[in-house]
Amino acid sequence: MALAFDEFGRQFIIIREQDQKSRLRGLDAQKSNISAGKAVARILRTSLGPKGMDKILQSPDGEVTITNDGATILEQMDVDNQIAKLMVELSRSQDYEIGDGTTGVVVMAGALLEQAEKLLERGIHPIRVAEGYELASRIAFEHLEHIAHKYEFGETNVESLIQTCMTTLSSKIVNRCKRSMAEIAVKAVLAVADLERKDVNLDLIKVEGKVGGKLEDTELIYGIMVDKDMSHPQMPKQIEDAKIAILTCPFEPPKPKTKHKVDIDSVEKFQTLRQQEQKYFDDMVQKCKDVGATLVICQWGFDDEANHLLMHRNLPAVRWVGGVELELIAIATGGRIVPRFQELTPEKLGKAGLVREKAFGTTKDRMIYIEHCANSRAVTIFIRGGNKMMIEETKRSLHDALCVARNLIRNNSIVYGGGSAEISCSLAVEAAADKYPGVEQYAIRAFADALDAIPMALAENSGLQPIETLSAVKAQQIKENNPCCGIDCNDVGTNDMREQNVFETLIGKQQQILLSTQVVKMILKIDDVISPSEY
Amino acid sequence: TGSLFKDEATEEKGERARMASFIGAMAIADLVKTTLGPKGMDKILQSTGRGHSVTVTNDGATILKSLHIDNPAAKVLVDISKVQDDEVGDGTTSVVVLAGELLREAEKLVNVKIHPMTIISGYRMAAECARNALLEKVVDNKLDAEKFKDDLMKIAMTTLSSKILSQDKEHFAKLAVDAVMRLKGSTNLESIQIIKKPGGSLTDSFLDEGFILDKKIGVGQPKRIENAKILVANTAMDTDKVKIYGARVRVDSMAKVAEIEVAEKEKMREKVQKIINHGINCFVNRQLIYNFPEELFADAGVLAIEHADFDGIERLGLVTGGEIASTFDNPESVKLGHCKLIEEIMIGEDKLIHFSGVAMGQACTIVLRGASPHMLDEAERSLHDALCVLSQTVNDSRVLFGGGWPEMVMAKAVDELARKTPGKRSHAIEAFSRALIAIPTTIADNAGLDSAELIAQLRAEHHKEGSTAGIDVISGSVGDMSELGISEAFKVKQAVLLSATEAAEMILRVDEIITCAPRRREDRM
C-alpha cells in the first residue's frame, strides 16, 4: 500500500492495493512489458519476407481470415495486454502512414526491446537506453537518405514502379501472378495520380472483389463498377454514350419533414389526391427525361409505379446505390449529385461512354460497369479468386502495393530491400557508436544489433543459416563498399539486390525506424504497471 | 507476466498449427470421399432446426454447406466447394478430395523436413504442367453440331451417373441437353424452370416447351385461351392505397364514408377497365387480386392470375416477351406478352396453368416426378448440376474423357516434369502426381473394386501415347473411354485443378492459428 503523510502527520492512502489491484514496479515492470512486446513480435517474425508464412485467425464469430499482412494479423488478434496493444497501434500507424512494412516495423520494435532488456540487466538506466536509441535512430535515418537512390519514372517509363510493387507483393499469397498484379496497381495509381502536385488520392481507386474465376482474371476497369443491377429486369443491359442523372431523392411522393396530415373528407378530394399522386410520378420521370438523361442512378428506392414508368419511357435506372459509390460515379462521370428533381439541369448530368450489366457464373449475380467516363480519374480494380479468403487477402495485398506506388510518386527515393538497407544502417550505426562518450554508446551499439534482426529473420524464414548468412553479407558489404547486398531469399544466386530488382521506398524504411524507436522509448519509460486484478 | 490474449483465446504454433489444419482439411475430404464416382454413396443430413428435416444427397457442395465446422482449414475447403458450385456447378466433391489429397501428400513431405514454401512452389509448377497436359488433349467439336450434341449428351450422362438419377440417366441427360440447347448459348439458367410434383416415378418426368405456372385460375374465368395476349403486372389490386405521405380519411358523417367507399370502388373499376383496355385476355399480377376486381375480370372474360411471385412474373415477362407493368395509362405503348395457348393442366393431383407456344423459344419447364420429396430434391440438385455443366460447356466446348482419364494424363505429365526438375521441388511435384492418382483410386474403391490392381493396369495403359483408357466401373476393369462414351467438360476439370491447388497452398502457408475468444451470447431464457 502506498502511503503518504500530510503536514499534520496524518496518513492517507494514495493507491489502494490489496485485492483490487495488482502492481508491478521497477525492473519487473519493464521486464514484463518487454516480454509482452517481444511476444507480439515473435508472432509476426515468421511472416516476414517473400518466404514468410501465413496465419489463420478465427474471429469471435468464427469467421476465418488467412493473412500475411502484419497490420491485419495484429488487428484481428484481439490482444488483451496493454503493451501488446501499443504494438498493435504501432503497426496500424505504419499502415496509415505508409501502407506497407507493417510486419517489419513490429519485428524491429521487438528486436529493440530484446536488446534493451540486456542493457537493463547490466544496470543501465532505461532513460539512457531510450536516449541512445533516439540518437541511433537519427544516425540510421540520415544514413538511409545517404544510400537512397532517386528513381526516375515518367508516365511511359513505369518499370521501376512495377518492380517496387512486385517486391511488396512477393511476400503475399498473390505472388503467383505478382507481375500482373503490380502492373494493375501501378496503372491504377497512375490513372488517379496528380503528377504535378505529386499527390495520389487513393480513395479514387475502388477495390471490388467477387468470388469465382481465377486470380489471373483480376482486371483494372477504367471506370466504376457497382454491385447492383437495373431496377427493372427488362431495362436495356447496355447503354452507349450514357448521360447519367445522379440522384439522392427517391422516386416516391415527397415526404415533408414537418409532421402533417392530409385529411380526405370528400369524394372530390379523394380523386384530386389520386391525380396529384400520379402527376408526381409522371413529373419525376419527365424531368429526368427532359434534361436528356439516359440513365438514372439513385441512392434510394423506387415505387413500383415509378419503376414501370421509367422502363416504359426507356430510361434505365439503378436503385439503392451506396453513398460512397455515388460520389465515385459523380467524380468519374463529371456529373453532380442532385438532391431534388427540380434542380436537375443538363449540365449536372454525368457522361460515360459505355454502361453495361454483366452476369457471372451460374448464379444470378450481376454487376454494372460504367466505363469510358468523361473524367477517367476514378478506377476500379476487380479481383477474382477461388474463395472469399483469397479475395480478402488479395485486397489487402493490393492495398499495400497501391500505397507503395503512391509513396514512390510522392517521393521517388528508394532503398534496396532484402535486408540490405538494415545491414548498411547497422554498419553505420555501429561505426558511429564509438564516437559517443557516454553510456549511450552501449545503447547505440545495441540498436545496431537490433537492426540485424530483420535480415536475420528474412534468412531464417527462407531456410538459410541466419548467423552464417548475415555475417557473410555484412562482410561483403564492407569489402565491396556496396550497400545493396542483402539476403538472397529466393535463391537466385546473387546477393546484390540491385540485380534482383528488390526495392523499397525510402520513406517507408525511415518511417519504420522512427516509429519503432518511438514505441520502444515509450515502453522503456514505464516503470509501474497498476492494473485491476482479475476476480 | 500475464498472457497476451484474452481468456479462452487459443494460439497454435508451428508444427501444431500445421497439424491442426492438415487434420481438419483431411477430415473434410474423407467425409465426402465416399460420395465420389458413379458408385459413390449418399449421405443423410438431418437439420437441428425444428422438425429435424432430412436431406438425402450425394452433392458435395450440399453436404459441406450443411456442416457446422469449427476448424478453420476445413472452412477453406467448404468455401472452395461452394465456389465450384457457383462457377461451374459440378465437381464439388472432386475439388475437396483433390485438395485433401494434396495436403495429405504435403504432410508426408513436411515430416521429412521439406519447407512448406518449397512444396508450394513444386505444386505450382505441377499444376501448371497438368493444365497444359489437359489442354493438349482436349477435343473441341464446336463446329460439328451433330458431334457436339453427342458430346453434351455424354457429359450429361457422366455427370448424372453419380447421382440418384443414374438409373434413368439417359432420359434425364436428354432432358438436360434439350433444355440447354434451347438456350442457344446463353448461360442464363433462369429460363429453365424446374417444377417438382411428388407422385409417379422418375421416368415420368418430362420437358415441356412452354411455361408452367404453379397457380390457379380465378373463379368463373375461362380455363382455356387461344392466342392469348398477356399483361404481366406488378400492382396493388386490393384497395389502392393513397401514396401521398400523411393522407388519411377523416369525415364527419356515415354518408360521407359511404361516398368515399363508392369512390374507392369506382377507382378500382376504372383501374380494371384501363387494364382491360389494353386489349388483353390474360392478366397476371404479382400481388393479390381481391374478389371485386377478380369478378370484374371474370365479367370481361379475362383470365386473371394473382400472386405470381417475383420469379414467376419475371420469367413470364421474359418468355412471353411482355413488359412488367405498374401503370396503365398508355395502353397503346405497353408491350404485351403473347402465347398460342393458355390452359389448365393436371399433373398428379394438382392443377397448373400451362402457357404454350410462347414468343421466346428459349424457355422451357422441366417437370420432375418422383416418389418422395427427398427424392425430388435430390433429383433437382442433380439436374441442376447437369444443366450448369452443360450450359458452361456450350460456351467453352472443350471436352475431355472421364473415368479417371484426365487424372492419369495429368499424373503422367507431372511425373515427367518431376524427373526433369532438379532440387527438392521435384519431391513436391511427384507428390502432386500421387494426389492426382488418388482420384481414380477413390472412384475404384467406392465401387468396391481392387484399386491397387486397376490403377497399376491403368498406368501401364497410359504409358502408351494417346491412350483413352479409364476405369469402367460397371464391368470393373480398365476400359476405353471413347467407346464407353464417358466425357467431362474441360472447364470443370480445370476449375477443380486450380481451386484445389490454391486451397492447398493457402493451408500450407499457415504456421500459426490464433482463435479469438468466442463472442459471449447473452442467454435468453
Side-chain angles (χ1 to χ4, degrees):
Chain A
M1 198 182 300
L3 287 177
F5 297 94
D6 63 6
E7 61 261 46
F8 304 109
R10 285 177 300 199
Q11 57 180 11
F12 60 91
I13 300 165
I14 299 175
I15 300 170
R16 194 179 291 281
E17 273 170 39
Q18 288 134 7
D19 300 336
Q20 278 89 38
K21 301 259 193 290
S22 66
R23 186 170 181 200
L24 280 172
R25 50 198 312 193
L27 204 54
D28 278 342
Q30 270 137 0
K31 279 202 173 154
S32 134
N33 291 343
I34 287 174
S35 83
K38 269 162 54 188
V40 174
R42 214 165 30 234
I43 291 176
L44 288 196
R45 202 179 141 93
T46 53
S47 287
L48 197 71
K51 301 259 158 133
M53 305 294 276
D54 291 1
K55 317 277 174 219
I56 287 186
L57 300 153
Q58 202 164 15
S59 80
D61 297 323
E63 223 162 277
V64 174
T65 311
I66 299 186
T67 183
N68 181 293
D69 183 50
T72 315
I73 297 173
L74 290 176
E75 197 109 333
Q76 307 222 343
M77 238 162 44
D78 193 17
V79 289
D80 205 21
N81 187 296
Q82 295 307 316
I83 300 302
K85 276 184 186 157
L86 274 181
M87 301 290 266
V88 175
E89 293 282 321
L90 166 67
S91 157
R92 196 177 299 160
S93 52
Q94 173 85 7
D95 196 25
Y96 286 159
E97 226 9 73
I98 306 297
D100 181 35
T102 49
T103 315
V105 71
V106 175
V107 174
M108 179 76 204
L112 285 174
L113 286 172
E114 198 172 331
Q115 295 294 334
E117 193 176 14
K118 285 185 200 147
L119 295 178
L120 292 182
E121 266 167 19
R122 292 162 81 172
I124 299 179
H125 193 272
I127 298 294
R128 305 298 286 271
V129 177
E131 274 164 13
Y133 275 3
E134 179 67 38
L135 284 171
S137 75
R138 242 175 263 150
I139 299 169
F141 188 86
E142 275 155 28
H143 183 72
L144 278 176
E145 218 141 83
H146 182 64
I147 60 168
H149 288 246
K150 286 269 177 209
Y151 227 79
E152 287 313 317
F153 61 89
E155 275 186 67
T156 46
N157 175 23
V158 292
E159 189 54 35
S160 58
L161 281 178
I162 294 176
Q163 293 288 354
T164 321
C165 288
M166 273 166 68
T167 309
T168 308
L169 291 176
S170 60
S171 64
K172 317 281 178 184
I173 196 165
V174 296
N175 66 2
R176 179 155 52 95
C177 34
K178 62 179 172 185
R179 172 86 208 178
S180 60
M181 288 288 166
E183 276 172 17
I184 286 176
V186 169
K187 276 186 199 154
V189 168
L190 282 179
V192 301
D194 185 344
L195 287 177
E196 266 166 35
R197 282 197 306 123
K198 296 202 168 183
D199 194 19
V200 182
N201 183 1
L202 284 188
D203 291 340
L204 291 176
I205 303 177
K206 197 172 156 223
V207 183
E208 274 278 347
K210 190 125 207 138
V211 177
K214 299 192 293 270
L215 205 54
E216 283 84 351
D217 296 337
T218 301
E219 56 178 340
L220 176 69
I221 297 159
Y222 288 95
I224 308 286
M225 207 162 85
V226 192
D227 194 354
K228 290 276 174 308
D229 48 7
M230 295 290 179
S231 64
H232 195 287
Q234 286 160 334
M235 284 176 178
K237 308 281 184 230
Q238 185 162 347
I239 305 151
E240 274 166 40
D241 288 323
K243 297 208 176 59
I244 307 169
I246 305 162
L247 298 171
T248 52
C249 45
F251 274 88
E252 272 162 23
K255 275 186 192 170
K257 296 252 159 50
T258 38
K259 243 186 167 172
H260 71 287
K261 289 273 181 292
V262 181
D263 282 347
I264 303 171
D265 53 8
S266 69
V267 175
E268 293 78 55
K269 276 192 184 166
F270 181 77
Q271 277 161 349
T272 38
L273 213 54
R274 167 74 195 154
Q275 275 156 15
Q276 183 74 24
E277 185 186 298
Q278 273 176 336
K279 206 165 143 331
Y280 268 134
F281 290 129
D282 203 59
D283 278 356
M284 285 173 191
V285 178
Q286 201 50 44
K287 275 217 178 80
C288 298
K289 200 78 190 163
D290 282 345
V291 292
T294 54
L295 175 70
V296 177
I297 290 181
C298 184
Q299 196 175 9
W300 303 102
F302 303 160
D303 192 273
D304 283 343
E305 273 182 53
N307 201 5
H308 176 244
L309 272 177
L310 283 169
M311 209 282 293
H312 195 79
R313 306 223 175 133
N314 200 13
L315 194 59
V318 186
R319 59 182 155 185
W320 298 120
V321 178
V324 182
E325 278 140 353
L326 214 64
E327 260 171 50
L328 273 176
I329 293 173
I331 294 173
T333 60
R336 295 269 297 276
I337 297 176
V338 181
R340 255 176 224 98
F341 287 98
Q342 290 77 9
E343 285 166 27
L344 262 178
T345 55
E347 303 85 63
K348 287 183 181 170
L349 297 181
K351 288 177 190 63
L354 180 67
V355 178
R356 62 196 166 100
E357 196 183 272
K358 197 175 164 191
F360 296 97
T362 62
T363 46
K364 289 183 192 169
D365 286 333
R366 294 199 194 94
M367 283 190 150
I368 290 182
Y369 285 56
I370 303 173
E371 290 170 301
H372 309 300
C373 300
N375 176 2
S376 66
R377 287 199 42 216
V379 295
T380 307
I381 297 176
F382 183 45
I383 303 173
R384 307 300 314 271
N387 54 47
K388 203 170 80 223
M389 288 166 223
M390 188 82 189
I391 285 184
E392 288 302 311
E393 178 67 359
T394 312
K395 264 189 196 170
R396 283 188 288 269
S397 313
L398 267 176
H399 169 251
D400 284 6
L402 290 173
C403 288
V404 167
R406 175 195 60 182
N407 294 340
L408 268 180
I409 287 174
R410 278 194 188 153
N411 179 350
N412 61 350
S413 300
I414 51 138
V415 290
Y416 289 92
S420 65
E422 282 86 358
I423 298 173
S424 176
C425 282
S426 156
L427 288 170
V429 172
E430 181 92 55
D434 297 338
K435 294 178 200 141
Y436 286 86
V439 189
E440 285 86 355
Q441 196 185 89
Y442 279 86
I444 297 175
R445 229 174 258 142
F447 191 91
D449 283 342
L451 278 168
D452 285 348
I454 290 197
M456 198 102 90
L458 276 178
E460 214 175 305
N461 290 347
S462 313
L464 304 168
Q465 291 289 339
I467 297 177
E468 220 168 85
T469 320
L470 179 62
S471 44
V473 173
K474 236 180 187 177
Q476 198 186 353
Q477 277 215 4
I478 297 178
K479 202 171 118 206
E480 296 173 10
N481 194 17
N482 178 3
C484 311
C485 291
I487 308 290
D488 179 16
C489 297
N490 286 327
D491 209 17
V492 179
T494 169
N495 279 331
D496 195 328
M497 291 298 134
R498 226 173 337 191
E499 281 169 40
Q500 287 206 17
N501 280 326
V502 178
F503 325 118
E504 285 174 69
T505 55
L506 172 66
I507 34 179
K509 265 278 122 63
Q510 286 179 331
Q511 200 70 25
Q512 265 187 7
I513 289 178
L514 289 185
L515 280 176
S516 52
T517 314
Q518 254 174 39
V519 167
V520 169
K521 268 170 67 187
M522 193 194 286
I523 294 175
L524 284 177
K525 278 186 180 162
I526 301 168
D527 76 334
D528 203 341
V529 180
I530 303 162
S531 50
S533 68
E534 279 147 47
Y535 303 99
Chain B
T1 52
S3 80
L4 210 53
F5 301 106
K6 290 199 174 125
D7 292 348
E8 291 179 57
T10 55
E11 188 190 3
E12 303 271 0
K13 289 190 135 184
E15 283 302 300
R16 283 179 56 103
R18 209 166 280 130
M19 186 96 91
S21 45
F22 282 163
I23 289 174
M26 282 190 279
I28 288 292
D30 287 341
L31 183 81
V32 293
K33 206 172 175 178
T34 54
T35 63
L36 195 71
K39 300 263 160 137
M41 305 299 273
D42 291 0
K43 310 266 173 219
I44 286 188
L45 307 166
Q46 189 170 25
S47 84
T48 49
R50 211 162 33 170
H52 296 278
S53 67
V54 170
T55 313
V56 183
T57 184
N58 179 293
D59 185 41
T62 314
I63 297 172
L64 293 178
K65 238 186 300 191
S66 4
L67 293 177
H68 293 282
I69 293 169
D70 202 32
N71 186 300
K75 279 189 184 154
V76 175
L77 289 196
V78 173
D79 231 30
I80 56 165
S81 101
K82 211 172 112 233
V83 173
Q84 179 84 6
D85 194 28
D86 289 348
E87 274 298 297
V88 285
D90 191 26
T92 50
T93 314
S94 313
V95 71
V96 175
V97 173
L98 183 58
E101 288 304 325
L102 284 173
L103 287 172
R104 198 188 304 277
E105 292 295 334
E107 190 190 15
K108 287 182 204 153
L109 293 176
V110 169
N111 285 343
V112 294
K113 301 277 176 272
I114 293 180
H115 195 272
M117 285 297 164
T118 316
I119 303 177
I120 287 173
S121 78
Y123 275 7
R124 278 185 185 171
M125 286 172 71
E128 190 55 38
C129 163
R131 186 167 161 256
N132 289 337
L134 283 188
L135 271 174
E136 265 174 38
K137 303 265 180 172
V138 289
V139 187
D140 193 339
N141 285 331
K142 182 112 198 165
L143 300 173
D144 187 344
E146 225 13 71
K147 262 195 179 155
F148 183 51
K149 195 162 178 200
D150 202 38
D151 275 351
L152 285 183
M153 197 66 198
K154 282 183 198 161
I155 291 174
M157 301 234 292
T158 313
T159 307
L160 290 173
S161 64
S162 61
K163 318 277 169 165
I164 205 166
L165 301 176
S166 61
Q167 275 75 29
D168 315 301
K169 64 180 174 189
E170 208 150 321
H171 181 65
F172 281 98
K174 205 165 157 357
L175 283 186
V177 172
D178 283 347
V180 169
M181 290 301 269
R182 293 176 72 88
L183 292 180
K184 299 189 182 71
S186 109
T187 51
N188 185 0
L189 292 180
E190 276 171 57
S191 37
I192 301 177
Q193 192 194 18
I194 298 181
I195 287 183
K196 296 173 284 185
K197 284 282 163 203
S201 79
L202 278 175
T203 37
D204 293 338
S205 308
F206 61 92
L207 178 95
D208 194 283
E209 302 203 343
F211 178 83
I212 293 177
L213 197 64
D214 195 355
K215 287 281 170 281
K216 289 194 179 53
I217 293 177
V219 182
Q221 292 165 349
K223 297 273 184 259
R224 183 188 155 94
I225 296 178
E226 275 177 53
N227 283 331
K229 293 196 201 70
I230 309 161
L231 181 66
V232 189
N234 173 17
T235 185
M237 287 304 268
D238 35 14
T239 44
D240 227 355
K241 284 181 207 78
V242 178
K243 282 172 191 157
I244 289 175
Y245 192 66
R248 62 171 180 186
V249 178
R250 170 169 279 181
V251 288
D252 42 20
S253 72
M254 284 303 284
K256 283 268 172 67
V257 178
E259 269 171 39
I260 287 178
E261 220 182 318
V262 170
E264 228 170 40
K265 230 174 187 176
E266 202 48 49
K267 188 173 141 196
M268 183 48 74
R269 192 190 299 278
E270 227 171 79
K271 189 168 183 180
V272 171
Q273 197 50 48
K274 271 189 201 158
I275 292 171
I276 294 171
N277 283 348
H278 284 70
I280 53 163
N281 43 22
C282 175
F283 176 72
V284 184
N285 192 15
R286 186 177 82 77
Q287 299 171 26
L288 283 175
I289 302 177
Y290 270 26
N291 287 353
F292 175 63
E294 189 180 330
E295 191 189 312
L296 291 176
F297 281 122
D299 286 347
V302 171
L303 183 132
I305 301 163
E306 64 166 7
H307 216 209
D309 45 21
F310 247 124
D311 255 10
I313 57 162
E314 252 179 54
R315 256 197 211 123
L316 199 60
L318 192 72
V319 299
T320 61
E323 66 177 46
I324 300 169
S326 298
T327 56
F328 310 99
D329 292 324
N330 321 311
E332 62 292 334
S333 61
V334 170
K335 262 200 291 175
L336 297 178
H338 291 280
C339 80
K340 290 247 163 56
L341 179 69
I342 301 176
E343 63 182 340
E344 204 174 48
I345 53 166
M346 298 274 291
I347 297 178
E349 299 274 286
D350 297 311
K351 286 182 192 159
L352 303 167
I353 306 169
H354 182 222
F355 297 75
S356 58
V358 290
M360 200 180 70
Q362 296 185 3
C364 60
T365 304
I366 296 176
V367 179
L368 287 177
R369 307 298 315 274
S372 73
H374 297 149
M375 186 106 158
L376 284 175
D377 284 345
E378 177 66 357
E380 187 190 2
R381 276 191 291 272
S382 315
L383 199 61
H384 173 254
D385 279 6
L387 289 174
C388 285
V389 174
L390 288 177
S391 70
Q392 294 291 336
T393 318
V394 170
N395 283 344
D396 182 349
S397 58
R398 288 174 289 183
V399 171
L400 296 165
F401 292 117
W405 178 85
E407 282 80 13
M408 293 311 289
V409 169
M410 289 192 274
K412 190 182 163 201
V414 171
D415 255 341
E416 261 161 37
L417 176 73
R419 262 175 246 147
K420 279 185 284 188
T421 312
K424 280 189 271 193
R425 273 181 305 196
S426 72
H427 295 288
I429 300 175
E430 235 175 328
F432 195 93
S433 124
R434 279 199 298 277
L436 283 170
I437 292 184
I439 295 220
T441 312
T442 314
I443 295 180
D445 279 339
N446 286 349
L449 304 172
D450 182 356
S451 62
E453 171 67 25
L454 267 180
I455 297 301
Q457 278 184 23
L458 199 56
R459 186 137 66 171
E461 225 18 80
H462 271 265
H463 192 63
K464 289 180 227 149
E465 210 43 56
S467 165
T468 53
I471 298 178
D472 179 359
V473 185
I474 311 300
S475 71
S477 61
V478 171
D480 188 339
M481 290 297 121
S482 73
E483 270 172 34
L484 288 168
I486 297 176
S487 294
E488 280 181 87
F490 169 71
K491 204 162 172 189
V492 175
K493 274 287 153 211
Q494 175 183 274
V496 167
L497 181 72
L498 295 182
S499 330
T501 319
E502 217 164 74
E505 192 179 305
M506 233 171 158
I507 295 170
L508 263 174
R509 280 175 69 103
V510 170
D511 75 334
E512 182 148 345
I513 301 174
I514 298 168
T515 314
C516 293
R519 198 182 295 283
R520 282 174 204 281
R521 298 211 163 73
E522 278 119 64
D523 285 326
R524 286 198 203 96
M525 296 301 282

